[in-house]
Amino acid sequence: MKQPAIRVRGMTLLEMLVALLLLSALSLGILTALRTGHRTYSMILRSSRGTSDIAATQALLRRIIESAYPINATTAKSQGGLGLEGTHERLSVSAPMSLASGAQGLYRYELTLKPRSDGANDFLLKYGVDRDGTVAELTRASASDSEPEVLLERVREVKYEYL
């Protein structure tokens, strides 16, 4: 008995086009999801980086202000000062340098806002060895490094509240 011949058919052009159309639609959906995820991740990183900068600055300021030391012990007793001087734009504080930096003695910290060209401000920290309420010398090795450090960029305002 004769076996019937099995006919093998290939895919038609129309079936190929439909398959390619489905594959391209699926690829477009995956690419859009990946782009959205990358943009969201970048936005979260920028936000958390700004938050961590603010937290680090707050911790530094808290440490400096909590350890404020009288500029001159006899003057501080008569005037009731704790080494804090300032206005709404500037704050000067005498406090010890952190032990982690290896420095010893009192340092004079000056916190100021510096205007930017875009209308915002930079929050700056400048410090040097304290000699009875004045900065005797900068702690940096060279004159090119003696510029104030930018703690935060694009700050609208700073409010100092202390007794």
Side-chain angles (χ1 to χ4, degrees), residues 60 64 91-93 97 107-112 123-129 135 137-140 145-151:
L60 173 69
I64 290 171
L91 175 68
S92 294
V93 178
M97 181 66 85
Y107 283 74
R108 188 73 177 164
Y109 297 93
E110 294 180 12
L111 301 161
T112 58
F123 189 51
L124 304 177
L125 171 69
K126 184 176 181 179
Y127 60 93
V129 176
V135 176
E137 61 185 73
L138 293 175
T139 59
R140 312 266 194 260
D145 292 335
S146 65
E147 291 296 315
E149 294 182 36
V150 177
L151 294 178

Side-chain angles (χ1 to χ4, degrees), residues 69-131:
Y69 195 80
I71 296 171
N72 182 335
T74 57
T75 308
K77 284 181 185 176
S78 63
Q79 296 178 353
L82 289 176
L84 295 171
E85 296 176 343
T87 64
H88 64 284
E89 296 175 348
R90 184 182 73 81
L91 175 68
S92 294
V93 178
S94 291
M97 181 66 85
S98 69
L99 294 176
S101 67
Q104 295 178 352
L106 290 179
Y107 283 74
R108 188 73 177 164
Y109 297 93
E110 294 180 12
L111 301 161
T112 58
L113 286 177
K114 179 182 176 187
R116 297 170 55 109
S117 59
D118 61 359
N121 300 303
D122 286 341
F123 189 51
L124 304 177
L125 171 69
K126 184 176 181 179
Y127 60 93
V129 176
D130 187 353
R131 296 288 183 250

